[in-house]
Amino acid sequence: MSQIEQLQQAVLGHITNPNLTLPQKQLALAQLAESLLPRNPYGEEVEQAFERGILHDMFESQSPFKPRYVLPDYAKAMAQGSEFLELAPPQDLDEALNFLSILYLNVPSVTGYPVFLGHLDQLLEPFVEGVSDSALEKALTLFWQRLDRTLPDSFVHANLGPQDSRVGRMILKVDAKLAQSVPNLTFRYQEGVTPDDLLRRVTDNIIACNKPHVANHEAIDAEFDQGYGVVSCYNALPLGGGSHTLLRLNLMRSFELCDGSEQDYIDNVVPHCSELMASALTHRIRFLVEESGFFDHHFLCKEGLVSLDRFTAMFGIYGLAELVNQLMDAQGMPGRYGLDREATALGERIVAAYRRQVDHLEMIHCEGGLMRLHSQSGISCDKEETAGTRIPVGSEPDPLSHILACAPMHQYFDGGISDIFGLDPTIRHNPGALERLVSGGFGMGLKMFTANLSDNDLVRVTGYMVKRSDIDKFRHQAERHNSTCLGAEAVDVVKILERQARVVSQEQHPVSLWK
Amino acid sequence: MEIRTLTPVAPRPGVVSRILPFSCVDGPGSRLVVFFQGCNMDCPGCHNPQTIGQCNHCGDCIEHCPNDALSLDRGSGQRKRRLCDESQCQSCDLCLPHCPRSGNPNAVSFGVASLVERIARHAPLLDGVTFSGGEATLQRQFLVRLCDALDREACTTHLGRLIDSNGLLAAGHWPALLERVDGVMLDIKGMDSAIHKRLTGRDNQQVLASARLLAQAGKLAELRWLVVEGVNDGDDELTALIELYHSLPNPPALRLNRYQHHGVGERGQSMAETTSERMEALYRQLSEAGVTLLPLVRL
């Protein structure tokens, strides 16, 4: 079959796929077209690294025409209105919700849906004076439904906190009541700013529906000059900017490049792989910024809601556990990453070495001229590699030991990191225990706290959610949410629902998404 | 005549069956639980029977360890000592069935300092520690020294402390413990002494006396009743339990636990698991009789 015939078959496959809704079919076609871009190859060494599986391109093309993640300054938009969208600055709650709903439909990202919805409590609180509790609840309930039905992708992510607010409390109430997989939600917590009873509400929500994530606001904010948002799974990125792209380094595979000793790995492999990463990132970012014209023409840029000088790029790593375990094996040592102190300490030394690289490698068109280190949560094709710097699936210890093992890694990552702590449902009767884990964990340097109770209908897959009931529906008919098909794949490939604390590493991969 | 001072005997270590770094079911908040080895009851329905027996170094378990963690150290004469190498032990528990005394070959001896260190490591993530087992009060002298050491250490002094007990400790020994812990969670296995003996191998006089003593001292944190349907849930038992409850000063909440076979040895398999319907019915009956109950764990 010629290439054009192959392409035609692929198109036919998508448009007749009974498991896809119409918007999903159209998205699939667009992504298919994108995958057919003329080759814009990386340098030879980098191409080889991709082929060997040492670098992974997250299925992003070599010629990206939109940034991977965009974080518009929604507050600014609401203050000045939008010329492109022909919207005046909102004056009351209805107008504010209407404004945001419309704006969201026009924010690009790798998934086609906005990965950041803003610090909703801060955005909306100015508009709720004189609005009764019941009216506020109704307005936010309708808003929440609108988000789920118009942006059906659970990488869509809203933030709350750290301060207290009527809107924040009401959103928590609505989110637990509706238990939708969209939007993903993070509460940014800060001791001394967030009242104790609000933390209790947050942990009650986690127990009810495995949402929200809790972010260590003080620790993360310190790494950003002008504010940050938690987006997509759990990436922390500059407000009013975003990330051009994400490229990830397969640490498990990188072991092949060393002689089996820690010394050789740190002295030689770390700098070598970092250079490969930098070269590939430069290639992509250059096309996006200098050729695609995104930053010159897109209305978000023209209206000052995002600006190039607040963009960064993510240097992602994954498979740390497997790298460490291979190094331990090579030394004849039995310790395993995350479970034994020696092995975990080795993991930390490796991460620190990559941190030093990222601190010094210059990157074009990035804030401060530097990239951000990101603990990448994996993709459904990762059969052998554990996500990011996590402990291998199925061998996680009790939540407390899990936190103790993983907390030391968090300090090195300024582009987002998260571990998912599996909780036994008995914690429902003892919510104080969860509060203690959150506040104690943050005290130990944890940047994000994400939990998953095994018996909730909403199941955490990496950093986003799917509903078990939606997965069954997907099998038999089209299901609205794009992210559900990933969840279904996870159920089949890794039997996510059959193992309690099992989490699957996934992220959107445009081309192979629709089967 | 020269008086020689005797070499002071080193204080006895604590023998611990297992440490659970995180539990949300052994008291309020996030807790670390120390399961002490050895019990003075012998319940057929015990769900961790390997905590009952004390090792007598017979050595029957040694060959059954797949990780070479167990060894028999031979001294002079007939002296033998079972040793478990913690660094080799994988906690697979394959040795457990081979102990003829329902003991735990991978139990570990702790000095106070090393147990405090173990607790300190987890302290920022804990609200408290619970001493369980086995029967923790059998090692009361160790417990006293342990609590004092936890108080002295800056990072552990804030941790709450609870004891999980079967109540067989004599009255005179409670005060030293009570001034060092926040409370005691007490199991009532049966009100009628024959039923109690069937379920535990011991009489319940001392248990009931402990319940009263602890309640009087305001240190009865929780009363627990393991419901074994058809054995200890008859009308007479219920009436007696309600009477006991109402006779206690400062009565705590009552926790109803459902008898299940998980972890139970052969002897316990012959008693049927309690049904959830029975639990719901008892919960209602007790509530109506004015007993304050903790929510039933419905999973």
Side-chain angles (χ1 to χ4, degrees), chain B residues 16-62:
Chain B
V16 172
S17 192
R18 198 168 156 212
I19 297 176
L20 202 59
F22 175 74
S23 164
C24 52
V25 297
D26 290 285
S30 158
R31 304 188 83 86
L32 179 145
V33 186
V34 182
F35 293 93
F36 284 92
Q37 186 68 31
C39 187
N40 44 8
M41 283 188 178
D42 187 22
C43 307
C46 182
H47 71 281
N48 49 3
Q50 74 280 3
T51 62
I52 298 175
Q54 294 282 24
C55 179
N56 70 340
H57 309 283
C58 71
D60 281 5
C61 58
I62 308 293

Side-chain angles (χ1 to χ4, degrees), chain B residues 151-162:
Chain B
D151 266 338
R152 282 194 298 270
E153 201 64 41
C155 59
T156 55
T157 187
H158 70 284
L159 294 175
R161 298 193 287 264
L162 291 172

Side-chain angles (χ1 to χ4, degrees), chain A residues 341 398-401 403-404 423-427 429-430 432-433 436-437 439-441 444 455, chain B residues 21-25 27-30 117 121-127 158 295-299:
Chain A
R341 291 213 267 186
D398 63 274
L400 203 135
S401 306
I403 294 172
L404 278 176
L423 299 176
D424 196 83
T426 49
I427 205 158
H429 300 283
N430 196 349
R436 171 62 57 188
L437 290 181
S439 53
M444 304 188 86
D455 65 345
Chain B
F22 175 74
S23 164
C24 52
V25 297
S30 158
E117 192 269 325
R121 249 189 253 166
H122 301 91
L125 294 157
L126 295 173
D127 293 303
H158 70 284
L296 273 185
V297 175
R298 294 176 181 90
L299 290 169

Side-chain angles (χ1 to χ4, degrees), chain A residues 95-143:
Chain A
E95 289 178 18
L97 294 173
N98 185 57
F99 185 94
L100 288 173
S101 304
I102 292 171
L103 181 49
Y104 292 151
L105 294 169
N106 291 274
V107 176
S109 80
V110 66
T111 63
Y113 294 103
V115 294
F116 180 60
L117 300 183
H119 306 126
L120 284 179
D121 47 359
Q122 287 174 8
L123 293 172
L124 296 171
E125 194 74 358
F127 299 97
V128 300
E129 200 178 311
V131 177
S132 72
D133 279 351
S134 58
L136 181 59
E137 184 169 351
K138 172 136 194 210
L140 289 173
T141 300
L142 293 177
F143 181 60

Side-chain angles (χ1 to χ4, degrees), chain A residues 347-402:
Chain A
E348 195 181 336
R349 290 196 293 278
I350 292 170
V351 167
Y354 279 109
R355 176 75 243 164
R356 285 194 292 277
Q357 291 291 319
V358 171
D359 281 341
H360 295 108
L361 274 169
E362 281 179 26
M363 186 47 56
I364 55 169
H365 304 303
C366 287
E367 205 180 32
L370 296 172
M371 303 171 275
R372 286 178 180 270
L373 192 59
H374 173 66
S375 181
Q376 203 282 324
S377 54
I379 297 182
S380 57
C381 59
D382 298 340
K383 302 273 188 305
E384 297 162 321
E385 302 90 342
T386 299
T389 51
R390 294 181 182 168
I391 298 179
V393 167
S395 67
E396 298 96 336
D398 63 274
L400 203 135
S401 306
H402 195 164

Side-chain angles (χ1 to χ4, degrees), chain A residues 80-380:
Chain A
Q80 67 188 29
S82 170
E83 199 188 309
F84 179 78
L85 294 176
E86 299 176 63
L87 292 172
Q91 302 299 317
D92 63 26
L93 185 62
D94 280 344
E95 289 178 18
L97 294 173
N98 185 57
F99 185 94
L100 288 173
S101 304
I102 292 171
L103 181 49
Y104 292 151
L105 294 169
N106 291 274
V107 176
S109 80
V110 66
T111 63
Y113 294 103
V115 294
F116 180 60
L117 300 183
H119 306 126
L120 284 179
D121 47 359
Q122 287 174 8
L123 293 172
L124 296 171
E125 194 74 358
F127 299 97
V128 300
E129 200 178 311
V131 177
S132 72
D133 279 351
S134 58
L136 181 59
E137 184 169 351
K138 172 136 194 210
L140 289 173
T141 300
L142 293 177
F143 181 60
W144 227 239
Q145 276 187 345
R146 192 150 63 247
L147 294 176
D148 180 64
R149 306 304 190 270
T150 61
L151 311 169
D153 185 303
S154 59
F155 296 96
V156 168
H157 203 142
N159 293 182
L160 299 174
Q163 73 300 330
D164 198 356
S165 66
R166 282 185 68 207
V167 170
R169 287 184 185 247
M170 193 56 79
I171 284 178
L172 287 172
K173 181 177 178 189
V174 167
D175 193 48
K177 188 177 69 181
L178 295 177
Q180 297 168 167
S181 53
V182 179
N184 204 350
L185 188 64
T186 288
F187 188 93
R188 310 188 306 167
Y189 170 80
Q190 184 173 355
E191 196 178 330
V193 174
T194 310
D196 289 340
D197 71 312
L198 186 50
L199 176 63
R200 169 52 70 93
R201 296 271 184 108
V202 169
T203 52
D204 282 346
N205 270 35
I206 293 174
I207 287 173
C209 63
N210 288 337
K211 298 160 80 185
H213 300 273
V214 192
N216 184 345
H217 180 65
E218 218 177 333
I220 300 177
D221 196 45
E223 292 168 333
F224 292 85
D225 287 332
Q226 295 172 84
Y228 72 96
V230 180
V231 319
S232 183
C233 278
Y234 54 76
N235 313 59
L237 293 169
L239 190 61
S243 179
H244 295 299
T245 181
L246 163 62
L247 183 59
R248 60 178 194 160
L249 172 60
N250 187 334
L251 294 179
M252 182 184 92
R253 285 287 168 84
S254 73
F255 174 78
E256 293 161 22
L257 303 172
C258 80
D259 68 4
S261 73
E262 177 186 344
Q263 199 63 46
D264 183 53
Y265 187 87
I266 292 193
D267 289 346
N268 300 318
V269 178
V270 169
H272 177 63
C273 287
S274 303
E275 271 162 32
L276 290 171
M277 287 283 285
S279 171
L281 284 164
T282 306
H283 183 89
R284 276 194 203 167
I285 296 172
R286 200 202 55 76
F287 185 90
L288 174 65
V289 177
E290 297 172 21
E291 288 196 44
S292 79
F294 176 86
F295 290 95
D296 304 312
H297 302 304
H298 198 278
F299 81 93
L300 289 175
C301 306
K302 284 162 78 168
E303 295 183 16
L305 303 178
V306 302
S307 63
L308 179 56
D309 61 9
R310 296 222 212 150
F311 264 76
T312 186
M314 287 179 288
F315 182 123
I317 61 170
Y318 69 118
L320 178 67
E322 286 73 27
L323 168 61
V324 166
N325 292 344
Q326 284 176 99
L327 282 167
M328 295 295 282
D329 286 342
Q331 325 276 333
M333 302 206 284
R336 299 293 92 177
Y337 176 77
L339 306 174
D340 299 288
R341 291 213 267 186
E342 259 194 83
T344 307
L346 170 57
E348 195 181 336
R349 290 196 293 278
I350 292 170
V351 167
Y354 279 109
R355 176 75 243 164
R356 285 194 292 277
Q357 291 291 319
V358 171
D359 281 341
H360 295 108
L361 274 169
E362 281 179 26
M363 186 47 56
I364 55 169
H365 304 303
C366 287
E367 205 180 32
L370 296 172
M371 303 171 275
R372 286 178 180 270
L373 192 59
H374 173 66
S375 181
Q376 203 282 324
S377 54
I379 297 182
S380 57

